[in-house]
Amino acid sequence: MGKFIVRGGRPLNGSVKIQGSKNAVLPIIAASLLNKGTCTLKNCPNLRDVNVAIEILNIIGAETTFSDHIIRTSCKQVKETVVPNHLATEMRSSIIFLGPMLARCKEISISYPGGCEIGPRPIDIHIKALKKMGAEIFFANEGILCCKAKELIGCEMNLDYPSVGATENIMLAAVYAKGRTIINNPAKEPEIISLQNFLKALGVSVYGAGSGRIVVEGCDEIDCDMEFDIIPDRIEAGTFMAAAAITEGDLVLENIIPGHIRPIILKMTEAGCQIQEEEDRLRIMAPKILKAVDIIRTSPYPGFPTDMQPQMTSILSVAQGTSIMIETVFDNRFGFSEELKKMSADIIIEGRTAVIKGVSELTGTYVKSKDLRGGAALILAGLKAKGETVVDGAVHIERGYDRIEDKLRSVGADIIKID
Ligand code: UD1
């Protein structure tokens, strides 16, 4: 496993182009299975999870190329309905193949994703909805999830929680269901709207994404050549804003949608940063000393994103005063804070709440990243810390950031990756 070596104390200055969104491209790669023609996806980030999703696609029967951030894929025929274990377990969101595979070939076997470092990842909402649409779902030996459906039938359903993955799976299953599917209380994230736009570009009649009700009309077959732009990654944008904030930096982020990062902009402003927005770019200027913020409560969009909680915790660890962070989405997302404490951060965790007392200095040391965003938070702390920080477990961070060390170096950071 590679490591990042960071030497702190350098303010970041300059401009960074934000990558295409990981969480938008993954369901779209899975959704491309619905099309017999060629999907050309532009602005795709070159990430481990994206490459695993492409491998799964190819095993199922697609032909795919990926270069210069463009994925071209077409699936004329499905050859395989069993997703190999090593791929399904490598990428947590492999479960997103359930909906499109059930729709396209009425069958899929895939290993159950299980728990992970940020807490259990149940899929009961996915299963309940797909069963309601007529799928038969059972567990075979060794945690393999088997799904079959003679026919999927559109229906109306209310989600118990606005799960992002479940909303995506239902939308994709609904494309080849008989009749109309209505999803009440769906996730409202920008990635859901982007998936709706992708389906519309395939000719599917779907509307309501971003609101409290999504409607999908089932169709018979999709066979078209199309092009689609992947939206900017709002979490990478937030992470670079945090990098500017923690280093007293001044960064311009290119290729962003300010509306997607509104809750992050508001909290960074509360912490004392000055932010200038334009249509697709933003400048963030950090103060000499950040201010604590009262309370941040993570919640589904448009609330403060859980995927920015660790990075925000890092910057608040050097803000003047005491901040409260409440994690409401995942059960166990403060694991990284134990590592942050090794760098002299003063953080007390009580259940789902972190009390973060700002310290005047972080100190570099050896820390271990165990999950994607927690790992990014440790790099941020390393950019501020006195001396050298070794962030082990680069593989987790690379699941979500395309060449993070090169991008940070291009704006003045002292960071390298070693194997
Ligand atoms: C997606 C994102 C992830 C982000 C999360 C929340 C992708 C690839 N990943 O994950 O980066 O952190 O949204 O914004 O897009 N839950 C259940 N039962 C279910 C499904 C979910 O209890 O059937 C719970 C989960 O355990 C979690 C919460 O609901 O506590 C949110 O999960 P969900 O919205 O489904 O997140 P993902 O789609 O897994």
Side-chain angles (χ1 to χ4, degrees), residues 22-23 26 93 120-126 161-166 168 189 306-307 329-330 333:
K22 166 177 97 69
N23 289 353
L26 291 174
S93 44
R121 301 290 282 256
I123 52 167
D124 52 309
I125 303 171
H126 305 236
Y161 182 89
S163 152
V164 174
E168 292 165 346
E189 270 67 2
T306 174
D307 285 352
V329 180
F330 287 104
R333 208 167 191 174

Side-chain angles (χ1 to χ4, degrees), residues 384-402:
K384 176 72 175 173
K386 195 166 172 216
E388 184 175 282
T389 303
V390 177
V391 182
D392 207 344
V395 70
H396 298 294
I397 298 166
E398 288 170 340
R399 279 188 40 230
Y401 297 92
D402 188 352

